[in-house]
Amino acid sequence: AQTIHQWPVAEIKAVGSPLSLGCTIKGKSSPNLYWYWQATGGTLQQLFYSITVGQVESVVQLNLSASRPKDDQFILSTEKLLLSHSGFYLCAWSLVGSAETLYFGSGTRLTVL
Amino acid sequence: GEKVEQHESTLSVREGDSAVINCTYTDTASSYFPWYKQEAGKGLHFVIDIRSNVDRKQSQRLIVLLDKKAKRFSLHITATQPEDSAIYFCAASTGANTGKLTFGHGTILRVHP
């Protein structure tokens, strides 16, 4: 069975500080990977997607970056956090070639002060 | 781009009754419509989906209807139980291999005894 693990569960960070969020998928070879962001009380928005190791496509510009250093790992980061980065970050995966059904992780709650 | 409107922001039903959540979309190219459930502070859990080649799909107590002419789809939860209480998100996708789902703003469903 596939498992998706996100870390950390929650972060409280200062404006201007760096950030790194991670996601690991086990039990599925070469999945498509995605980062979504949910503003507090709001809907979800896709930030990045990756179809293969080393390749990441940006969907919206939010002063964030993403990398896929390994087949089963997806990292979201920034060197300088903004207040507007607060929210809930969700990693998701899907089968290659059947990209519509996304399976989400449990998310990371980020509070920027 | 695609816009998905979720018509009910909150819905309160009595246990055992049915709950219906309605969504509309704008992009005629959308062909895949999943529904997700989010419990407080948790990630999104996939519940059911429908593709544009059918107009009805049922999985146990969940029924999804799709009206392509009206660009409308709906989730029907029959015989509701307290554990159905959560936020439900509808979404739409054109099916491209980018994993991009356009989400509605969510419906808070409360099932009370």
Side-chain angles (χ1 to χ4, degrees), chain A residues 40-106:
Chain A
T40 304
T43 192
L44 294 103
Q45 185 177 22
Q46 190 187 47
L47 301 177
F48 299 94
Y49 70 92
S50 171
I51 294 172
T52 190
V53 174
Q55 289 187 11
V56 177
E57 299 296 329
S58 173
V59 179
V60 294
Q61 290 300 322
L62 283 181
N63 292 308
L64 295 168
S65 60
S67 64
R68 186 171 178 177
K70 300 179 189 177
D71 186 53
D72 63 353
Q73 196 174 74
F74 209 17
I75 307 295
L76 183 72
S77 60
T78 183
E79 293 187 1
K80 274 191 175 182
L81 278 166
L82 307 173
L83 285 173
S84 57
H85 286 139
S86 291
F88 198 43
Y89 288 84
L90 290 152
C91 179
W93 70 271
S94 70
L95 292 173
V96 175
S98 176
E100 301 99 333
T101 306
L102 270 60
Y103 299 95
F104 287 85
S106 53

Side-chain angles (χ1 to χ4, degrees), chain B residues 12-20 61 76-85 109-113:
Chain B
S12 186
V13 300
R14 189 172 298 175
E15 183 178 357
D17 288 350
S18 292
V20 182
R61 296 187 296 110
H76 299 244
I77 306 174
T78 62
T80 53
Q81 300 167 0
E83 50 265 37
D84 293 329
S85 297
L109 173 65
R110 295 191 185 94
V111 180
H112 51 89

Side-chain angles (χ1 to χ4, degrees), chain A residues 32 34 36 38 41-46 49 51 59 88 90 95-107 109, chain B residues 31-32 34 36 38 41-46 49 51 87 89 93-106:
Chain A
N32 284 5
Y34 314 94
Y36 273 77
Q38 184 180 30
T43 192
L44 294 103
Q45 185 177 22
Q46 190 187 47
Y49 70 92
I51 294 172
V59 179
F88 198 43
L90 290 152
L95 292 173
V96 175
S98 176
E100 301 99 333
T101 306
L102 270 60
Y103 299 95
F104 287 85
S106 53
R109 174 78 54 193
Chain B
S31 60
Y32 176 68
Y36 288 88
Q38 185 176 37
K42 297 191 177 177
L44 269 69
H45 176 71
F46 171 77
D49 59 14
R51 298 179 193 272
I87 304 174
F89 289 91
S93 166
T94 59
N97 196 31
T98 61
K100 185 173 182 184
L101 296 174
T102 301
F103 283 87
H105 278 80

